[in-house]
């Protein structure tokens, strides 16, 4: 029987700089294989090859994608075995995990160039500055709705929703909480895996609203209460502002609830899909119309800064691609040999 695959990010280019939440995303690992591969596709290809072979033998796996190139992988996790195969960037973010580690060195000697690394970092820093300015503009955007919100209604809506999800049940176990990113800002724009992550979820709730209409606050309260009651919780942070939440999944209850607004806007397509309209429920009628001119201005300035940041990330990726073309690459047979050695070791310890 073929296994299943989940896809997500644990690192991101954000308004608060490069953010790595690998440690809180990967609890309960006993073994970590760390691939020493800074740039080229070899590390990603090796990880994907290992993951696909494990899927074919019936294991469920989780693919961790790179925010530098969402088609590339930074890691594969096999939860049932407590095993992960990850690049150094993931291992560094999860350095406090108490697990056995084995280093797999596939980086050619001429692969690492400190000057190239500095150039890439400079472009990324420029992107972070633009994202930071965009966040300030977004805060300005939120103010229009915060000042026109009925907080009592928002609290009532949140409490009723949480009670409808969790009821009075309390599980006699410790909650497992995993923190991930809903999506990531990449050199090609925003990317997310909402359809994959919610594919097997029976009840999906699409939160619609405006900036500052209480979407993240609702999700934070739900996640906290679910953890308190012993339910396992998948907490998905915003790829733009990691202090904000975009989705909570309670797989034991078959529930996913997420901020379904741009840049991760989706609409109901299944019978059990539901919309939660925060704007219509808690924001004063006519707010959009009353501040139409100001809102158009702030939205335009925000969009410009996001585009500016994305352009810087694209420049960083182009520098990286040029460096990769000039570096030595491992022969396919060598990678296949390494892959089989890792698979054999996984089979031995599992």
């Amino acid at each position: 029987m073929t296994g299943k695959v989940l896809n997500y990010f644990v690192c991101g280019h954000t308004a608060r700089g490069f953010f790595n939440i690998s440690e809180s995303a990967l609890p309960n690992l006993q073994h970590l294989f760390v691939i020493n591969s800074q740039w080229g596709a070899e590390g990603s290809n090796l990880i994907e090859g290992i993951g696909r072979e494990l899927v074919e033998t019936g294991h469920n796996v989780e693919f961790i994608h790179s925010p530098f190139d969402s088609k590339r992988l930074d890691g594969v996790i096999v939860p049932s075995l407590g095993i992960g195969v990850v690049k150094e960037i993931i291992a560094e973010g999860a350095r406090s995990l108490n697990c056995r580690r084995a280093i797999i060195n596939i980086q050619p000697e001429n692969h690492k160039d400190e000057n190239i690394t500095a150039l890439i970092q400079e472009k990324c820093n420029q992107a972070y500055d633009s994202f930071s300015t965009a966040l300030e503009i977004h805060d300005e955007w939120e103010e229009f709705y915060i000042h026109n919100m009925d907080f009592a209604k928002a609290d009532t809506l949140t409490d009723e929703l949480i009670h409808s999800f969790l009821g009075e049940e309390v599980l006699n176990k410790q909650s497992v909480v995993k923190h991930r990113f809903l999506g990531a800002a990449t050199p090609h724009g925003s990317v997310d895996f909402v359809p994959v992550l919610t594919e097997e979820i029976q009840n999906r709730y699409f939160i619609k609203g405006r900036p500052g209409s209480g979407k993240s606050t609702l999700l934070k309260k739900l996640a906290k209460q679910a953890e308190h009651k012993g339910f396992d919780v998948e907490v998905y942070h915003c790829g733009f502002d990691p202090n904000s939440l975009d989705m909570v999944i309670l797989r034991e209850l078959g529930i996913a609830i997420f901020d379904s607004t741009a840049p991760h806007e989706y609409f109901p397509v299944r019978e059990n899909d539901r919309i939660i309209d925060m704007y219509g429920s808690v924001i004063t009628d006519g707010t959009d119309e009353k501040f139409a001119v100001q809102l158009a201005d702030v939205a335009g300035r925000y969009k410009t800064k996001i585009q500016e940041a994305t352009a810087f990330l694209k420049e960083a990726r182009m520098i990286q691609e040029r460096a990769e073309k000039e570096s030595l690459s491992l022969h396919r047979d060598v990678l296949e040999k390494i892959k089989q050695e890792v698979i054999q070791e996984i089979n031995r310890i599992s």
Side-chain angles (χ1 to χ4, degrees):
M1 183 178 66
T2 303
K4 298 171 183 176
V5 177
L6 281 185
N7 308 75
Y8 55 84
F9 297 94
V10 298
C11 296
H13 303 294
T14 82
R16 303 182 190 279
F18 186 77
F19 231 76
N20 188 334
I21 56 174
S22 302
E23 191 162 305
S24 56
L26 311 174
N28 304 325
L29 289 184
Q30 286 82 52
H31 301 274
L32 204 60
F33 295 86
V34 182
I35 297 175
N36 182 9
S37 173
Q38 185 186 18
W39 295 335
E42 291 96 340
S44 176
N45 291 341
L46 177 59
I47 289 168
E48 184 169 8
I50 292 169
R52 294 301 176 192
E53 187 155 328
L54 289 168
V55 169
E56 289 172 6
T57 57
H59 293 286
N60 295 337
V61 307
E62 299 173 357
F63 280 142
I64 301 173
H65 289 254
S66 168
F68 288 96
D69 183 345
S70 61
K71 295 180 181 179
R72 291 187 178 181
L73 299 178
D74 281 344
V76 58
I77 306 300
V78 192
S80 63
L81 302 180
I83 291 173
V85 183
V86 302
K87 289 185 180 178
E88 285 182 303
I89 192 169
I90 304 299
E92 176 63 20
R95 57 184 175 273
S96 296
L97 287 182
N98 184 22
C99 61
R100 296 188 183 92
R101 299 180 184 232
I103 306 299
I104 304 169
N105 191 358
I106 67 169
Q107 182 165 279
E109 289 184 3
N110 77 329
H111 207 116
K112 191 171 184 178
D113 187 313
E114 296 300 334
N115 292 329
I116 296 297
T117 302
L119 284 173
I120 293 172
Q121 188 59 57
E122 179 183 354
K123 290 299 178 182
C124 287
N125 287 340
Q126 289 177 299
Y128 304 150
D129 287 342
S130 295
F131 279 135
S132 179
T133 301
L135 180 58
E136 293 175 0
I137 296 171
H138 197 272
D139 289 342
E140 181 183 339
W141 196 350
E142 289 182 346
E143 288 298 315
F144 289 99
Y145 297 102
I146 291 174
H147 290 307
N148 287 277
M149 174 189 271
D150 187 323
F151 287 92
K153 284 185 178 180
D155 288 341
T156 299
L157 172 64
T158 298
D159 292 342
E160 289 177 348
L161 195 65
I162 291 174
H163 187 267
S164 72
F165 289 168
L166 306 179
E168 303 299 330
E169 185 177 8
V170 177
L171 302 185
N172 186 28
K173 68 178 181 64
Q174 183 72 34
S175 171
V176 176
V177 181
K178 298 179 180 179
H179 291 263
R180 302 161 175 168
F181 281 112
L182 177 69
T186 79
H188 301 292
S190 179
V191 176
D192 68 75
F193 297 104
V194 169
V196 175
L197 291 166
T198 65
E199 183 177 10
E200 296 190 338
I201 302 297
Q202 182 179 3
N203 300 292
R204 303 189 304 174
Y205 295 82
F206 299 63
I207 308 177
K208 301 294 183 178
R210 307 291 190 273
S213 58
K215 301 185 297 295
S216 177
T217 299
L218 185 159
L219 293 171
K220 288 177 180 178
K221 288 181 177 180
L222 170 62
K224 183 177 180 180
Q225 190 64 14
E227 180 183 2
H228 177 71
K229 286 176 169 284
F231 291 98
D232 295 341
V233 188
E234 294 174 25
V235 180
Y236 291 85
H237 294 251
C238 173
F240 171 60
D241 179 7
N243 290 345
S244 181
L245 299 190
D246 275 347
M247 180 164 70
V248 171
I249 294 181
L250 307 172
R251 291 192 184 273
E252 292 162 313
L253 297 173
I255 290 172
I257 177 170
F258 61 98
D259 180 341
S260 184
T261 59
H264 33 77
E265 186 173 23
Y266 293 91
F267 296 93
V269 293
R270 305 183 201 161
E271 182 180 353
N272 290 336
D273 287 348
R274 297 288 185 271
I275 286 179
I276 299 171
D277 181 8
M278 298 296 288
Y279 178 79
S281 299
V282 304
I283 303 297
T284 303
D285 288 343
T287 297
D288 281 348
E289 292 76 14
K290 181 178 180 180
F291 299 102
V293 174
Q294 298 96 315
L295 289 170
D297 171 69
V298 74
R301 288 187 284 120
Y302 173 78
K303 182 179 180 181
T304 296
K305 280 299 173 181
I306 293 295
Q307 291 174 335
E308 182 180 274
T310 302
F312 284 128
L313 290 180
K314 192 169 186 177
E315 288 183 49
R317 181 71 183 111
M318 290 173 63
I319 295 170
Q320 188 182 66
E321 287 175 341
R322 288 197 297 268
E324 290 174 359
K325 289 178 180 178
E326 296 171 0
S327 68
L328 293 175
S329 58
L330 294 178
H331 193 275
R332 185 181 304 173
D333 291 345
V334 176
L335 281 177
E336 179 63 25
K337 182 175 182 293
I338 296 172
K339 185 189 83 170
Q340 292 305 324
E341 289 174 351
V342 175
I343 291 289
Q344 288 174 13
E345 182 63 12
I346 289 175
N347 291 333
R348 187 189 68 82
I349 63 181
S350 61

